[in-house]
Amino acid sequence: MRITNKVMVESLNRNLQRSMQRLDRYFEQLSTGRKFSRPSQDPVGAFFSMRTRSSLETNDQFLRNVNNGLDWLEMTENSMQSLGEVLHRTRELMVYGANRIHDESSLEAIAKEVDQIKESLLEISQARIGD
């Protein structure tokens, strides 16, 4: 079998063309930072990429849920602590006011403080997280 110059040139051109296509693909990968730009270029890689992205989004949602739960728990704990302090002060006032040694002005002062405590309880009960 005889190999002519024409066959060698065509073979060289084919090899050169393939090399240029590979080089173009590598430059595209380098410039975009992606291994492939279309799923048809690497179907298995596209599947794993989509599965990984889905897992990351699921993990991000779990993290947001945990943070929301912690915020809610912290707000509830603070509200319960404030409620305990307010109820303790109310009990002190009730015990103090139950003594019959007070005049009318001190009982009015106790009543005003109890009204303020009632407003505090209302504020505590309406505590919110975010909107």
Side-chain angles (χ1 to χ4, degrees):
M1 176 164 138
R2 184 170 175 210
I3 299 177
T4 63
N5 284 343
K6 182 180 176 187
V7 171
M8 287 188 340
V9 168
E10 287 175 356
S11 176
L12 178 66
N13 278 338
R14 272 194 313 274
N15 290 336
L16 190 58
Q17 194 68 17
R18 276 192 231 125
S19 295
M20 291 300 290
Q21 286 174 347
R22 279 196 309 260
L23 190 59
D24 281 345
R25 189 173 67 234
Y26 294 143
F27 277 135
E28 182 182 351
Q29 287 175 1
L30 220 115
S31 65
T32 62
R34 296 180 175 174
K35 188 174 179 181
F36 52 88
S37 58
R38 292 181 302 277
S40 61
Q41 290 176 333
D42 187 5
V44 174
F47 168 75
F48 284 116
S49 176
M50 288 171 30
R51 188 171 72 176
T52 302
R53 181 171 291 146
S54 175
S55 294
L56 288 173
E57 289 171 359
T58 301
N59 288 342
D60 287 343
Q61 182 63 46
F62 287 151
L63 188 59
R64 284 191 300 273
N65 291 348
V66 165
N67 287 335
N68 288 341
L70 289 174
D71 291 344
W72 187 84
L73 186 62
E74 182 179 350
M75 190 271 311
T76 303
E77 184 178 0
N78 291 339
S79 295
M80 294 302 283
Q81 184 176 3
S82 298
L83 180 65
E85 292 168 1
V86 166
L87 291 176
H88 181 71
R89 178 64 183 152
T90 303
R91 183 177 185 278
E92 287 176 355
L93 288 174
M94 293 301 113
V95 169
Y96 181 73
N99 294 334
R100 298 193 184 260
I101 58 171
H102 302 293
D103 60 352
E104 198 169 313
S105 64
S106 63
L107 290 176
E108 286 178 9
I110 290 173
K112 285 182 184 178
E113 189 171 348
V114 168
D115 284 340
Q116 290 174 349
I117 287 173
K118 188 169 79 171
E119 290 177 20
S120 297
L121 288 173
L122 188 59
E123 287 177 18
I124 291 171
S125 70
Q126 294 176 346
R128 302 182 120 204
I129 297 175
D131 294 335

